Amino acid sequence: MTDRTVAHATFSIERKYDATPARVFRAFEDPAAKRRWFAEGEEGWEVESFDASFEVGSFERSRFRFKGGPLITNDTVYQDIVPNERIIISYSMTVDGRRISASLATMEFRKEGKGTRLIYTEQGAYLDGLDQVEQRRIGCEEILETLAKELERDSAAA
Amino acid sequence: MTDRTVAHATFSIERKYDATPARVFRAFEDPAAKRRWFAEGEEGWEVESFDASFEVGSFERSRFRFKGGPLITNDTVYQDIVPNERIIISYSMTVDGRRISASLATMEFRKEGKGTRLIYTEQGAYLDGLDQVEQRRIGCEEILETLAKELERDSAAA
């Protein structure tokens, strides 16, 4: 008997930002911005390393902990980049050395009035009972909320 | 206006092989075997290059044509490997320099009697109208049929 299981699931999150597609896209492209909203995020997250990359076929690697907890890793590979329009990544995560998921995530940036509708679609394989799609969706919603704060910050600085 | 579109879809193929999970898994792991059934496949496929790799975080790259047609590329990254049990990859494909898809594919190897049930699940993003899930499913079914022939060949040689 094996305890290996794979739960395949897909979810989408739509989020409106008061910033143009080019500005929202730039928050993904710019390594300093991406580190702030994606890796550092809200209070409690401790970034051990964030090796940014933003080109198709490149790896972007993050190593972090939440409030002194176990090491969490995220290894992302850029699959497709269409400037200001679309980013597709694959990424896998481990917690304490155990792989919890592998995912394909598509981000579509659509102009809507003076802002942007971001459509985030994750097609995930959640592994061995170590992660669940509901939890992943909540995590992604939180990250897309910190992106909103990054864009406000960027806007205030402009 | 943009002509960029993403069609997200998931499909599964189940295939029974008269070979143990270890033997089926080996056909993925062994670069010479993998080149035969995956890259060369049936008549008409011309392999320009096949750079094998079989470790998590590594790229495996194939370049090929069908009957002198346009260049087709497949860049695969291994996301998860559990020997004899599970392989998860991400892969993206281009035809004539245009990206047609990015996918996450899970292969589960389950012992069934003296054989193996392979469950192949693809979660794909089919891009800009250049590929369709129905077509991809047919292609995968063909490849899993050439794997059956590889296993018969392997069996005859043993």
Side-chain angles (χ1 to χ4, degrees):
Chain A
M1 284 296 286
T2 171
D3 58 351
R4 298 292 184 173
T5 60
V6 185
H8 293 103
T10 299
F11 66 89
S12 284
I13 302 170
E14 299 205 10
R15 186 81 166 73
K16 183 81 193 298
Y17 295 105
D18 291 330
T20 61
R23 275 189 58 218
V24 179
F25 185 86
R26 191 158 55 90
F28 286 83
E29 185 175 27
D30 174 44
K34 178 100 191 260
R35 180 184 173 113
R36 273 194 302 270
W37 68 266
F38 177 76
E40 295 175 352
E42 298 296 283
E43 206 174 346
W45 293 97
E46 301 146 22
V47 180
E48 298 203 350
S49 62
F50 176 67
D51 298 315
S53 169
F54 193 74
E55 56 180 307
V56 172
S58 268
F59 270 96
E60 181 171 281
R61 300 178 200 276
S62 336
R63 303 288 179 263
F64 50 97
R65 297 173 193 272
F66 186 68
K67 295 184 176 175
L71 183 66
I72 304 172
T73 72
N74 175 322
D75 285 0
T76 290
V77 179
Y78 286 88
Q79 301 286 337
D80 189 49
I81 297 174
V82 181
N84 307 332
E85 293 191 53
R86 181 169 75 203
I87 298 168
I88 304 179
I89 59 170
S90 60
Y91 74 101
S92 73
M93 295 190 70
T94 67
V95 175
D96 210 12
R98 295 193 297 176
R99 193 167 321 279
I100 65 168
S101 67
S103 306
L104 188 78
T106 302
M107 285 139 275
E108 295 167 88
F109 304 80
R110 298 196 186 159
K111 182 168 162 52
E112 198 170 286
K114 293 183 176 177
T116 301
R117 180 172 298 275
L118 173 64
I119 305 171
Y120 176 93
T121 303
E122 173 157 331
Q123 297 165 284
Y126 307 98
L127 303 177
D128 307 330
L130 299 171
D131 203 355
Q132 289 78 35
V133 62
E134 295 78 13
Q135 196 170 321
R136 181 60 55 90
R137 177 202 286 271
I138 292 167
C140 289
E141 283 170 348
E142 287 172 357
I143 288 170
L144 294 178
E145 176 60 27
T146 64
L147 171 55
K149 292 181 184 165
E150 169 66 24
L151 292 165
E152 285 164 21
R153 177 188 185 282
D154 181 31
S155 190
Chain B
M1 282 296 289
T2 171
D3 58 350
R4 299 293 185 173
T5 60
V6 185
H8 293 103
T10 299
F11 65 90
S12 283
I13 301 170
E14 299 206 8
R15 187 78 165 75
K16 183 83 192 298
Y17 296 105
D18 290 330
T20 61
R23 275 191 58 219
V24 180
F25 185 85
R26 192 157 56 88
F28 286 83
E29 184 176 28
D30 174 42
K34 178 100 191 261
R35 180 184 172 110
R36 271 194 302 271
W37 68 265
F38 176 76
E40 296 175 352
E42 299 295 285
E43 206 174 345
W45 293 96
E46 301 145 23
V47 180
E48 297 204 350
S49 63
F50 176 68
D51 298 316
S53 169
F54 192 74
E55 56 180 305
V56 172
S58 268
F59 270 96
E60 181 172 281
R61 299 179 201 274
S62 337
R63 302 287 178 266
F64 50 97
R65 296 174 193 271
F66 186 68
K67 296 185 175 173
L71 183 67
I72 305 172
T73 71
N74 175 321
D75 286 0
T76 290
V77 179
Y78 286 88
Q79 300 287 337
D80 188 50
I81 297 174
V82 180
N84 307 332
E85 293 188 54
R86 182 169 75 203
I87 299 168
I88 304 179
I89 59 170
S90 60
Y91 75 102
S92 73
M93 294 189 70
T94 68
V95 175
D96 209 13
R98 296 192 298 177
R99 194 167 320 280
I100 64 168
S101 67
S103 307
L104 189 77
T106 303
M107 286 139 273
E108 296 169 87
F109 305 82
R110 297 196 186 159
K111 183 170 162 50
E112 197 170 285
K114 292 182 177 177
T116 301
R117 179 174 296 276
L118 173 64
I119 306 170
Y120 176 92
T121 304
E122 172 157 332
Q123 297 165 284
Y126 306 98
L127 303 176
D128 306 331
L130 298 171
D131 204 357
Q132 289 77 35
V133 62
E134 297 76 14
Q135 196 171 324
R136 181 60 55 90
R137 178 204 284 272
I138 291 167
C140 289
E141 282 171 347
E142 287 172 356
I143 288 171
L144 294 178
E145 176 60 27
T146 64
L147 172 55
K149 292 180 184 166
E150 169 66 26
L151 291 166
E152 285 164 22
R153 179 189 184 283
D154 181 32
S155 190

